[in-house]
Amino acid sequence: MLNMETLSLEQYSFIANSFSFGLAVMASTTLFLWLMRSSVAPGYRMAVTITGLVTAIAAYHYLQIMLSWDKAVDVTTGQVVATGEPFNQAYRYVDWLLTVPLLLVELILVMKLSQQETISKSLKLGGAAALMIILGYPGEVADSAGTRTLFWVLSMIPFLYILYSLVVGLKDSISKQPAAVKGLIHTATYLVIVSWLFYPIVYLFPLIGITGGSAIVAVEVGYTVADIVAKAVFGLVIFTIAVRKSEAEASK
Amino acid sequence: MLNMETLSLEQYSFIANSFSFGLAVMASTTLFLWLMRSSVAPGYRMAVTITGLVTAIAAYHYLQIMLSWDKAVDVTTGQVVATGEPFNQAYRYVDWLLTVPLLLVELILVMKLSQQETISKSLKLGGAAALMIILGYPGEVADSAGTRTLFWVLSMIPFLYILYSLVVGLKDSISKQPAAVKGLIHTATYLVIVSWLFYPIVYLFPLIGITGGSAIVAVEVGYTVADIVAKAVFGLVIFTIAVRKSEAEASK
């Protein structure tokens, strides 16, 4: 459980504003994707729908996170005073359990592989992603450094499998993509890798002695920025790929 | 932090009503734009979608501002008594960080330039707009006049770059627009310039000694009016341009 009273009022407000910013970004990205859905060819609408679903689920969880952050503290004295209501960090994990597998499904769908490949890759990568989140959670809520380390290591196994699959396993599929989008698909793949690398690093902060108010700011704002990159920015890249591929197919 | 107790009950209520007015204008403009979206040609739908997104994001932030304004004060004694809960002025900055770059993107999209020009102008102007907001914030929350002045000056650099780009840089692109909309595009450009000029002026109020209840009314109602002009009125002009250009292209 976070010790809220290590935060200054400025730090507390800055994190609150970053949660509200996250909510606004996720919700507006969702609306954009769903309103623009009809401008891609029917074959890419499932990819765009799921892309908007991911940001919609994230918007819901940012609302919950924002409300929980608000209830955990009383600031009417000009100081950060804990109300005793714990800030619920589990919302992030519930969000990731749903959205992280779907993010990989987005990428697979927009590549428009054969039906069989789409299903097998979605199950393998999506399953590995779910397993990664489930294995991370017991370590996140554990008090002992040993337990935290153990589950970090366990969670890294599916994580490395996903990275390997993205870099090596999708190589063949990427090479068959039209020239107009090859660069964008590489961008999408690297966005996943770079933004996802942030999470296991942040997870280790308490183990290496980074604690107190500034650490809470780094973790909460950092997760928010990583979520925005991994979901909203990534989603707009997926949308752009869908638009370009629709155009290329229409001009054939 | 605003000293709420310098406000009379009438001033406090007047500002509360102006926030509610802002919310109603932003939300209804959003609904109008999205409901009417199918009446413009497909090439202009992204411009109209983003125009509605800007007012939607503003509506969300006016709701937050209104709720924060309500929580900051207790009026049950017939007087304005601060509850200690600070009024969160940062919501305006979080809003601007998202909407101001998008406002420039609306204008660029409705001009329907080449794909390359659209991307390069959106990145340059949108990036400068985001930088302008980020540089303004430290001065807004600073207590010292020196810091406020410093960040005002820093923030004016991207602001002047944007004005210059709108007046000089877009001249060529505007001259290539169809005759039916040239006047409207000039109107849209001048709406941006005139409504945006309001913000750096208001920012200086505390420096030139304008404080107390009337100053808070001037700032909060002033920002609200400027937001309505810059987002809702501007958005309806963009929509009209999209309708006229769709008609002109259909009659070709």
Side-chain angles (χ1 to χ4, degrees), chain B residues 23-38:
Chain B
L23 168 56
V25 170
M26 296 301 182
S28 51
T29 307
T30 305
L31 292 169
F32 174 79
L33 290 167
W34 286 348
L35 288 167
M36 294 301 292
R37 193 175 157 275
S38 56

Side-chain angles (χ1 to χ4, degrees), chain A residues 1-2 14 23 28 36 40 73 84 103 106 126 132 141 144 148 166 183 185 189 195 205 212 222 226 234:
Chain A
M1 192 178 135
L2 289 186
F14 184 65
L23 167 56
S28 52
M36 294 302 292
V40 304
V73 154
L103 282 170
E106 280 175 35
M132 169 179 84
V141 294
S144 98
R148 198 173 182 93
L166 288 178
I185 292 195
T189 313
S195 62
F205 278 9
F234 176 77

